[in-house]
Each structure stands twice: as C-alpha cells, then as structure tokens.
C-alpha cells in the first residue's frame, strides 16, 4: 500500500508540474490569466484619415501625430496601473483614462486642422470624430480584424485565410499549452503585455499556402542582392525618421538598422547621403530597419528603463539575426524603372492590432517550411529549424513623389496579376528575409507600441533608398536583363524556362547575401562610431551570454551561435569575401569555387527535415507584385500569388503538442517521474496480491474459506 501511495503521488506531482510549464515547452515562471478582458486602448489612426497634407505643413503635422502616439502610450500606462479597478468597474476606465485621452486628442487634432488650413486655405472637416478611443479585449480571435481596402483586396484575402487557420488551431493547440499564461503577471509574456499562447502556432500543422504568379512576356526576371550585414554593430534606436522626423522615441519601440548608420530621428537627406554604410557595396547607403525581436527569457537589455525599451513595455533579450537577405526583384508583367533617390517606403502596419489588417503585411515561417506562411501568428519551429520573418515591399510608384502625407499613397502594391494601378509604374521590389536562431521553447515577440500587445500582425519594415545613381542604374539593368547580381556584380541569366517564383539553380551564386556582412574589408571605411552623441540614440546594449545554436546538425556552425552574442561583436570572417583592396563587390562568376560561409551565414535550413520545402522562400502578403527569380534554395524569398491556397489546419494535434515540447526525447525526459511512479504503483499492487495469496494459504486455502463462510 505504501508503494502504491508513493507511486500515485509521483504521478500526480509530475502531472501538476507539467501542466505549469510554458506554452512553448520551456520552463518558465508564468502565471495563468483568467481569460480575455479589456487589455488595450483602441484609437482611430489619424494618419490614415487625413486628407492631402501640403508639403510645407507636413513637419508640423508629423510632430502632432507623434504627440498623439505619445498620448496613447501614457494613457495605456495609466490603464495598466488601474486595470484591477477597470475589471471591476469599466466605467472607471472611461472617467480616469478615456475621457482625459479624448480631450488631449481633440486638442491635437485641432492643431493639425489649423496647420493644414494655414497652408491650404481651408481647414479639413471631421477630424474631431477621431478623438474618441475605446477599450479592446485581448482576444486572439479578434487579432487583425477590422476594415479592409486600399487596393489590397487580394492581399487581405490571403491574410484572412491565414487568420482563420491560426484561429482554428488556437482552439486545440493554444489551449492545450496553457492558453493565456504569461510571464510575470497578467496574461502576456512581456510583464502582462503580450504575447499570449494564442499568438503562436505549430508551423508543422499549417498547410502549404504559397503560390507563384506566372510571368508574362516582357517580365523583368533578374534579381539584385545587396549584403548589408545583420546589425553586428548593434545600432538601435526607438526613432522613425519616416513617420516621426525630428521626434525622439517616435516609434515607441526599438529598431534594428542595417545599411546607413546615420539614421535617427534627426537625420536629413544630406545626413543619409554622407553617412557610412554597413553594405558591402559602398554605393548602397540605403537604410533598412525593422522592430527588434526579443526573447522572453528573463534577461533584460540595458534599455530596460529607457524609451523604446522598458518604458514602452518592450522587455527581454534582443536577438541578433543569423541572416539578413535583401533582394530587389522585378515585375511579372513589365520592365522596371529606377527608384528616385530618398524614396521612402513603409510596409506593414505597426498598429494593425487595433487598425485592422488593411495595411498589414507580416509574414512568419520557419526554415524548411517557407512554403507555408503565417500572417497573425508567430511560428513554433521544430528542432533544427529557425524562425523567419519576411517583408515584400510595395513595387509600384506614382512617378512623382518620394513620400506622401500618410507615407503610403505614393507607392502601391500590384494586383493579383502583377499590374500596377493606373498612374503607377513598376519599380524594383525590395524583399527582406530575416532569420533568427531562437532557442527551442523560448517565447519571443517583436517590439511594438504598448497598446498593440506585441501581436505578430503588427510587424513592419522601413526602407529609404540611398543608392547612388550609378548603382541604381546597374540594379535596374540587372533586373530588366534577367541577370543575377550580388552586390553589383553580374552573374548568369536565369534559364529561359524558369518559373517566375522559382529560384534558378545557380551554383555560380554564393550565399553571400545571406551571410553576415564583412565589416573589416580593406577598402571599407573605419568602424562606425557609437551614436551616443545623438539625442535619440538607444542605450548601449550589453553583451549577452552565448547561446547554443538551435541546429547542431549543421556541421559548419560554430559552437556558439552569433545571434546570441553581444551586439558590438564584429561579423565573423567569411572565406568567400574578396581580398583585393580594389574590390567593392562580389563577382558571382568567381564565386563558383568559393567555399560555403560558416557560422551564422551558413544555410540555416540545411538541416530542416521536411521534404515539402520547395524553395519558394518567404512570401509576403503582397506576393503578386513580383516575379523575379530568387537566389538558391530556401535562403531567399520567392514571390507568391496574392490568393494563397486554402490552408485548412491539418489534423495533427498530437504532432503540434509534441513540436511545442521539442521532441519525443525531451517529452520522455520530462515525464520520467510519472514513469517511476507507475512502476511503484504496479509493484505495490503485485506485492499486495502476493501477500493475500500467502494469507489464504496459511488458513487452509480457498476451500477453508468456503467452509468458514
């Protein structure tokens, strides 16, 4: 009996402990939430509701828009401070948070109307209607719901399908992994501010949903790759010079930067033109930036008490990408024309959680599974696979403006057939692919505005073209002539019968674009000094302990993944880097015999198990705009159709749960106390039965018992 009781106790304790583990399989100190309640503040996006803003009024309007964002952030903090009272009495939130915020916004909207009227001669009407904000519940089923439109109907259909799929899987997988647990307090990983279990889905349970548009006669099939590193310099700041020029902490979240090193809130076009660049070809001084990805592993950065970091509810260890691929591709229906210098493009919507998905353009996947893309879910990748986030930027330009009042209407997405809207012309499309070595079972999320709760659908990317005129001319020629070019060098043209979305088999093309930038080439300028003298410079990010890579199968990788090193660590040397001091570019013709780069630059998907991978690469929500070929294999993104195939969830609940824990081996290791308890339980039962038999024999056997009865 004692053995049986002890065994049963072991089983019960182990079951309770397993139920308390994190919803990605890691052992974390998370608490349970009580379910969806009012979690965030939902305010109309003023920038999307403004009429045409005169050029001379834009600086003042941009500052007022940034002030409106700051007001929401401050109101959200007040809301968090009184959330217990709000849950008991929603009217309390109206009086203490929403009404004061409405009054602040009304004053700001009036100043915007005055600024526009001063130049245009007439004040815009109806702005005051956007002053009122409401409370929004953090319900995973509502993520991304909202108005649609703006010439992106095809894109939205694909997003809706991905949302329906992720929501369906949320019922089985998210709840099976302790739905709603969070780190610290409340219902979200970042101190109650997200993400939650419903924001994650097992990539193996997602059906392939990437299609490639057909190229037509006259298509521009080339691809131009530029290698600008992975932000080994550790350049971060919470500014956004496109949306909030001249405003410190205009983004309210931290950005990763590659390329131009002069980018902060106060950078002018001249500053960018004269800035240093991490791009291998010094003719590319463009700036490429996106929100950082953080691991919720209990480690804080030095920005834990700074703007854009902890003050804006962004906490955790910043992860450095293992790969950043920047490709420019062509149009499936026509040749492309040069981008104007200082063209500004934003793709995605940093406020999509409350704005709806009209401008959302997030794309999440895992290496080895990039024929399946998620829009409003983070992927749970199996062992040996890495997290991939990607963006496909707008590929149509109005032919006149380098920017617009809402920073969107001067560019557009092509339709499902690859055609630009009337009055727009095709330009090279930027496709970004960013890969991370996230430790198995680690909760992660992008930085966001506080009220956006770190939802994956809020992911976005920013680009300012600062190519010099000669290199831009080479880029356009490369794409229109169907060549493959790396950092400006010319490679071979793709085969004539190559499908639009498939990368040509190009052994000539090295993996250089996917590898970290070589910062120490003899012909490059000195290392970029720290940006501490800038008013908006981010706090220096401390060095972090090394983390083993998630892909031990890749023999080329060193024992320590570069993604987990401290930010100032220089890029690892690559054997394929050109050595002559006169070379600024990498010639693909000479790269045939070049050994494959090691470390983070090596192909991360080499060890990915699934046979389904078809090299289609990452697809953005706006896939039909491009048909250019890709570089080899799953390292680069292939274009996709705007109407992905219906992606009904695969009936694979058991596999999803197992993938969340990592493997059968890890599951068995976690359940050994239950196994030991079962053995004790069985042993006790056997001993009890044996004892009874002996007792029976001692009193005369079964016949004796019958006589006594």
């Amino acid at each position: 009996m004692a053995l049986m009781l002890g065994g049963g106790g072991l089983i019960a304790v182990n079951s309770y402990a397993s139920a308390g583990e994190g919803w990605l399989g890691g052992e974390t100190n998370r608490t349970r939430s009580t379910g969806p309640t009012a979690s965030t503040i939902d305010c109309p996006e003023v920038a999307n509701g403004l009429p045409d803003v005169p050029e001379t009024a834009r600086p003042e309007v941009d500052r007022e828009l940034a002030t409106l964002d700051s007001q929401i952030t401050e109101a959200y903090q007040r809301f968090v401070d009184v959330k217990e009272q709000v849950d008991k009495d929603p009217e309390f939130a109206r009086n203490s948070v929403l009404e004061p915020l409405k009054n602040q916004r009304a004053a700001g909207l009036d100043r915007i109307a005055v600024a526009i009227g001063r130049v245009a001669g007439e004040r815009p009407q109806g702005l005051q209607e956007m002053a009122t904000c409401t409370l929004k519940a953090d319900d995973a089923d509502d993520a991304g719901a909202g108005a649609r439109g703006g010439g992106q109907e095809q894109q939205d259909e694909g997003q809706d399908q991905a949302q329906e799929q992720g929501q369906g899987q949320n019922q089985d997988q998210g709840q099976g992994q302790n739905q709603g647990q969070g780190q610290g307090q409340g219902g979200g990983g970042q101190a109650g501010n997200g993400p939650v279990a419903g924001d994650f889905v097992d990539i193996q349970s997602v059906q392939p949903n990437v299609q490639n548009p057909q190229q037509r006669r006259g298509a521009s099939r080339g691809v131009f790759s530029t290698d600008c590193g992975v932000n080994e310099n550790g350049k971060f700041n919470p500014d956004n010079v496109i949306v909030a020029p001249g405003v410190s902490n205009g983004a309210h979240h931290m950005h990763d930067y590659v390329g131009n090193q002069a980018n902060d809130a106060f950078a002018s076009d001249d500053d960018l033109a004269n800035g240093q660049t991490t791009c291998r070809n010094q003719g590319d001084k463009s700036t490429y930036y996106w929100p950082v990805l953080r691991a919720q592993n209990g480690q804080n950065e030095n920005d834990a008490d700074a703007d854009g970091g902890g003050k804006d509810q962004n906490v955790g260890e910043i992860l450095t990408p293992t790969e950043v691929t920047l490709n420019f591709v062509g149009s499936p229906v026509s040749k492309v024309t040069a981008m104007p210098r200082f063209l500004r493009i934003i793709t995605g919507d940093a406020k999509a959680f409350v704005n709806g998905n009209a401008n959302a353009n997030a794309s999440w996947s895992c290496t080895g599974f990039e024929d399946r893309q998620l829009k409003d879910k983070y992927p749970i990748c199996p062992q040996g696979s890495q997290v991939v986030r990607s963006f496909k930027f707008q590929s149509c330009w109005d032919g006149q403006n380098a920017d617009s009042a809402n920073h969107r209407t001067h560019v557009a997405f092509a339709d499902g057939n690859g055609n630009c809207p009337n009055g727009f012309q095709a330009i090279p499309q930027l496709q970004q692919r960013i890969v991370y070595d996230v430790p198995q079972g680690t909760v992660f999320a992008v930085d966001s505005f506080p009220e956006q709760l770190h939802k994956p659908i809020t992911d976005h990317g920013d680009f300012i073209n600062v190519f010099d005129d000669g290199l831009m001319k080479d880029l356009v020629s490369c794409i229109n002539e169907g060549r493959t070019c790396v950092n400006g060098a010319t490679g071979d043209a793709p085969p004539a019968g190559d499908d639009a979305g498939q990368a040509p088999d190009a052994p000539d093309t090295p993996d250089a674009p996917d590898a970290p930038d070589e910062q120490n080439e003899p012909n490059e300028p000195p290392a970029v000094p720290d940006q501490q003298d800038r008013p908006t410079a981010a706090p220096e990010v401390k060095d972090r302990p090394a983390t083993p890579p998630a892909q031990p199968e890749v023999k080329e990788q060193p024992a320590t993944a570069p993604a987990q090193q401290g930010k100032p660590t220089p890029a690892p040397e690559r054997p394929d880097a050109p050595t002559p001091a006169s070379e600024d570019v990498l010639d693909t013709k000479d790269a045939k015999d070049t050994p494959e780069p090691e470390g983070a630059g090596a192909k991360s998907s080499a060890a990915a198990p699934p046979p389904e991978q078809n090299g289609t690469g990452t697809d953005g929500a706006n896939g039909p705009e491009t048909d250019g070929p890709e570089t080899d294999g799953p390292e680069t993104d292939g274009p996709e159709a705007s109407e992905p195939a219906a992606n009904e969830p695969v009936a694979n609940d058991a596999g999803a749960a197992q993938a969340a824990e990592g493997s059968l081996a890890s599951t068995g290791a976690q359940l050994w106390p239950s196994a030991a308890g079962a053995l004790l339980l069985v042993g006790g039962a056997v001993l009890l039965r044996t004892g009874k038999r002996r007792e029976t024999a001692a009193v005369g056997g079964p016949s004796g018992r019958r006589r006594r009865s």
Side-chain angles (χ1 to χ4, degrees):
M1 290 294 293
L3 287 174
M4 293 174 67
L5 289 174
L10 270 177
I11 293 174
V13 170
N14 185 233
S15 299
Y16 177 80
S18 297
E21 288 179 351
W23 24 267
L24 292 187
E27 295 181 1
T28 54
N29 56 340
R30 296 183 172 87
T31 56
R32 298 173 183 263
S33 77
T34 57
T37 59
S39 298
T40 193
I41 296 175
D42 184 353
C43 298
E45 179 52 53
V46 176
N48 294 339
L50 287 178
D52 291 337
V53 178
E55 186 72 28
T56 54
R58 282 189 193 172
E60 185 174 354
V61 171
D62 284 341
R63 285 193 296 272
E64 290 297 338
L65 291 174
T67 299
L68 292 177
D69 285 337
S70 296
Q71 291 168 353
I72 296 174
T73 298
E74 294 166 0
Y76 178 80
Q77 188 58 57
R78 292 198 300 271
F79 168 73
V80 171
D81 293 340
V82 298
K83 192 169 187 309
E84 289 187 5
Q85 295 170 274
V86 171
D87 290 341
K88 297 176 182 178
D89 180 14
E91 192 65 25
F92 182 82
R94 184 184 309 278
N95 297 329
S96 64
V97 178
L98 296 183
E99 281 300 322
L101 177 59
K102 177 182 178 181
N103 295 334
Q104 289 179 318
R105 287 172 60 83
L109 289 166
D110 187 64
R111 289 191 293 268
I112 290 175
V114 170
I116 295 174
R118 187 183 303 122
V119 178
E122 182 179 358
R123 295 177 52 167
Q125 302 299 313
L127 295 187
Q128 293 297 320
E129 296 176 1
M130 293 185 284
T132 302
C133 300
T134 59
L135 292 180
K136 180 181 178 72
D138 178 20
D139 186 345
D141 291 338
D142 290 339
R148 297 169 173 79
Q152 290 182 309
E153 296 178 0
Q154 303 294 331
Q155 171 186 340
D156 296 335
E157 289 177 8
Q159 290 172 344
D160 292 341
Q161 290 177 1
Q163 287 170 353
E164 291 170 2
Q165 171 192 356
Q167 291 159 8
Q169 291 161 346
N170 179 38
Q171 298 295 324
D172 299 325
Q173 178 176 347
Q175 293 177 2
Q177 296 173 357
N178 298 332
Q179 171 88 20
Q181 291 179 358
Q183 183 178 17
Q185 57 185 358
Q190 302 204 29
N193 187 241
V196 296
D199 293 326
F200 291 82
V201 67
D202 176 19
I203 194 66
Q204 296 180 98
S205 67
V206 180
Q207 289 186 348
N209 56 9
V210 175
Q211 293 180 339
N212 300 311
Q214 295 296 319
Q215 287 187 333
R216 301 180 184 178
R217 185 181 299 276
S220 42
R221 298 170 176 261
V223 58
F224 183 101
S225 299
T226 182
D227 182 1
C228 301
V230 297
N231 196 19
E232 305 93 332
N233 295 340
K235 177 172 177 57
F236 309 96
N237 65 47
D239 304 341
N240 193 327
V241 70
I242 297 178
V243 176
V247 179
S248 300
N249 193 33
H252 294 275
H253 52 261
M254 206 64 71
H255 282 128
D256 258 319
Y257 291 85
V258 300
N260 201 298
Q261 298 292 287
N263 190 344
D264 63 18
F266 304 94
S268 65
D269 287 350
D270 288 341
D271 292 330
L272 296 174
N274 296 322
Q276 296 181 4
T277 180
T278 64
C279 298
R280 175 169 294 183
N281 191 319
Q282 297 293 298
D284 181 10
K285 293 189 177 182
S286 301
T287 178
Y288 311 84
Y289 58 106
W290 52 83
V292 300
L293 192 73
R294 295 185 192 249
Q296 303 302 293
N297 54 9
Q299 298 185 30
N300 285 328
E301 296 289 358
N302 283 352
D303 66 353
D305 297 317
D307 288 339
K311 285 187 176 180
D312 287 301
Q313 306 297 314
N314 295 301
V315 298
E317 178 187 10
I318 294 176
L319 299 175
T320 300
T322 60
E323 302 175 41
V324 173
T325 304
L326 304 172
N327 287 341
F328 291 88
V329 302
S331 163
V333 300
S334 69
K335 303 301 182 185
V336 296
T337 189
M339 299 179 182
R341 203 164 194 225
F342 305 116
L343 174 69
R344 286 156 162 79
I345 306 181
I346 298 173
T347 195
D349 185 359
K351 302 174 184 177
F353 177 59
V354 296
N355 283 350
N357 64 358
N359 294 310
N361 191 22
S363 206
W364 293 89
S365 190
C366 303
T367 56
F369 297 86
E370 292 179 59
D371 59 345
R372 53 198 81 184
Q373 296 290 324
L374 300 168
K375 307 302 178 186
D376 68 338
K377 304 291 177 185
Y378 292 118
I380 301 173
C381 300
Q383 186 71 34
S385 178
Q386 294 182 308
V387 173
V388 181
R389 59 194 287 212
S390 53
F391 310 99
K392 290 186 177 181
F393 283 67
Q394 294 88 320
S395 60
C396 303
W397 171 51
D398 67 6
Q400 297 179 347
N401 302 297
D403 198 4
S404 53
N406 61 2
H407 313 292
R408 295 186 185 277
T409 53
H410 63 298
V411 289
F413 292 96
D415 64 19
N417 295 319
N419 296 303
C420 288
N422 290 335
F424 286 73
Q425 53 192 275
I427 56 174
Q429 183 189 43
L430 171 61
Q431 297 182 352
Q432 289 182 180
R433 177 176 179 271
I434 311 168
V435 182
Y436 296 88
D437 189 2
V438 180
Q440 191 74 18
T442 299
V443 178
F444 60 90
V446 293
D447 270 18
S448 73
F449 287 92
E451 73 279 4
Q452 302 300 312
L453 303 182
H454 302 94
K455 298 296 183 182
I457 202 170
T458 65
D459 200 11
H460 57 281
D462 300 79
F463 165 70
I464 302 177
N465 168 41
V466 199
F467 276 81
D468 64 35
D469 293 339
L471 188 58
M472 176 55 66
K473 182 178 179 181
D474 292 343
L475 183 154
V476 171
S477 297
C478 174
I479 292 175
N480 285 338
E481 294 171 9
R483 293 182 279 116
T484 299
C485 306
V486 179
N487 296 317
T490 300
D492 296 332
D498 217 27
D499 183 74
Q502 299 292 332
D505 295 332
D508 309 343
T509 305
D511 298 319
D514 299 333
D517 188 27
E518 174 63 88
Q519 298 293 326
N520 298 316
E521 288 185 15
N523 61 328
E524 291 193 355
V528 179
D530 194 10
Q531 302 289 323
Q532 296 300 322
D533 56 334
R534 296 280 189 173
T536 58
E540 182 182 356
V541 180
K542 63 187 178 184
D543 290 350
R544 296 189 292 278
T547 303
Q551 290 182 283
E553 303 96 314
V554 182
K555 296 181 180 180
E556 296 91 317
Q557 290 186 349
T560 303
Q564 309 303 324
Q565 300 295 333
K567 294 300 175 295
T569 305
E573 293 187 3
R574 293 185 306 205
D576 62 333
T579 53
S582 61
E583 289 185 11
D584 283 337
V585 298
L586 181 61
D587 193 338
T588 58
K589 292 182 179 179
D590 296 335
K592 295 181 180 179
D593 301 325
T594 303
E596 185 173 280
E598 299 180 3
K603 295 182 181 179
S604 63
S605 59
E612 315 65 326
Q613 176 59 34
N614 59 4
T616 52
T618 305
D619 86 307
N622 52 326
E625 291 77 65
T626 176
D627 254 342
E630 316 163 6
T631 52
D632 67 304
E635 263 78 40
T636 46
D637 318 345
E640 65 165 24
S642 58
E643 298 185 42
N647 41 23
E648 301 296 332
V650 178
N652 187 21
D653 296 341
Q658 179 177 322
E661 297 300 320
S663 66
L664 280 175
S666 62
T667 302
Q670 294 168 3
L671 296 179
W672 70 264
S674 291
L679 288 175
L680 290 175
L681 191 63
V682 172
V686 171
L687 288 175
L688 185 62
R689 183 180 181 85
T690 302
K692 286 185 177 181
R693 286 180 176 175
R694 290 178 178 175
E695 180 183 359
T696 300
V699 296
S703 60
R705 288 200 303 272
R706 285 195 296 270
R707 286 194 298 269
R708 286 196 298 273
S709 63

